[in-house]
Amino acid sequence: GAVVSQHPSWVICKSGTSVKIECRSLDFQATTMFWYRQFPKQSLMLMATSNEGSKATYEQGVEKDKFLINHASLTLSTLTVTSAHPEDSSFYICSASSGDEQYFGPGTRLTVT
Amino acid sequence: DAKTTQPPSMDCAEGRAANLPCNHSTISGNEYVYWYRQIHSQGPQYIIHGLKNNETNEMASLIITEDRKSSTLILPHATLRDTAVYYCIVRVAHAGNMLTFGGGTRLMVKP
């Protein structure tokens, strides 16, 4: 089946620094990738839709200058959290489209101290 | 995408069938019913999807009512590893369409 990986699986950073999270489709090419965020005991919330070679589309309320998304190839999308603050601590999950289906990565837990 | 309604939690005895209901009364004709589950601190896992016919795979069965306003996910022999949050999502099947997650049903399988 289609496999999506994320790196790192967890990261701790200091307030004010930037963190980059990678999302890779390992055995298929994905023209569209999605980034979700999940706070404790809550459901997944879509942050942005990323299409290869074009600018990401952000959901309402998500700051595009804070959450930089790059989808430079058909197998890699990156999410950079710039100037991270403790309120950005969350579980970040990506998914990649293969045909009409979506496959999810294992998630990245970000803790900002 | 149409909204769905699921019970917030359910219990099931290990080895018994788990029947998880979902209401989607405003579903459109071209929207599929998808089921995903999320085990604690992991990414969601695809289970099954269907349009109007009942579907079965190695993980589960999906029963969709004739009017398509509700469906039931059946795990035929639940195990402790099936403890997870189960999400029912209706969506037009297209690569560019995101999944909109509701609250889901937290299934607890008990020994």
Side-chain angles (χ1 to χ4, degrees), chain A residues 31-32 34 36 38 41-46 49 51 59 91 93 95 97-107 109, chain B residues 32 34 36 38-46 49 87 91-104 106:
Chain A
T31 54
T32 303
F34 303 87
Y36 296 81
Q38 185 175 33
K41 299 191 183 301
Q42 294 185 23
S43 189
L44 283 78
M45 295 296 295
L46 180 69
T49 302
N51 289 297
E59 294 300 299
F91 192 49
I93 307 168
S95 70
S97 290
S98 176
D100 293 336
E101 310 313 329
Q102 280 191 41
Y103 299 90
F104 287 82
R109 185 159 305 280
Chain B
Y32 286 70
Y34 284 79
Y36 283 79
Q38 186 179 26
I39 296 170
H40 183 62
S41 293
Q42 297 183 24
Q45 177 189 21
Y46 166 82
H49 77 284
Y87 295 99
R91 163 185 181 259
V92 175
H94 184 275
N97 280 358
M98 77 288 194
L99 292 161
T100 302
F101 287 83
R106 185 173 298 277

Side-chain angles (χ1 to χ4, degrees), chain B residues 23-82:
Chain B
N23 287 323
H24 31 79
S25 59
T26 60
I27 191 170
S28 300
N30 61 346
E31 288 181 314
Y32 286 70
V33 180
Y34 284 79
W35 283 83
Y36 283 79
R37 72 179 182 185
Q38 186 179 26
I39 296 170
H40 183 62
S41 293
Q42 297 183 24
Q45 177 189 21
Y46 166 82
I47 302 173
I48 199 167
H49 77 284
L51 183 63
K52 53 184 177 181
N53 296 322
N54 298 337
E55 302 287 344
T56 296
N57 62 21
E58 65 278 6
M59 290 183 67
S61 295
L62 173 61
I63 308 298
I64 303 174
T65 58
E66 193 168 341
D67 63 7
R68 302 211 321 125
K69 292 186 177 182
S70 66
S71 60
T72 301
L73 178 74
I74 301 172
L75 307 179
H77 305 287
T79 71
L80 299 179
R81 287 179 294 180
D82 292 322

Side-chain angles (χ1 to χ4, degrees), chain A residues 22-83:
Chain A
E22 292 185 350
C23 176
R24 294 182 184 273
S25 55
L26 297 185
D27 49 2
F28 65 99
Q29 294 184 330
T31 54
T32 303
M33 290 185 173
F34 303 87
W35 287 95
Y36 296 81
R37 179 167 55 180
Q38 185 175 33
F39 292 108
K41 299 191 183 301
Q42 294 185 23
S43 189
L44 283 78
M45 295 296 295
L46 180 69
M47 298 176 67
T49 302
S50 167
N51 289 297
E52 186 264 339
S54 62
K55 291 184 178 180
T57 301
Y58 291 81
E59 294 300 299
Q60 191 172 9
V62 178
E63 301 174 57
K64 61 179 174 62
D65 294 330
K66 181 172 181 61
F67 299 98
L68 302 179
I69 292 173
N70 184 281
H71 192 163
S73 78
L74 288 173
T75 59
L76 173 64
S77 176
T78 60
L79 168 67
T80 301
V81 183
T82 63
S83 187

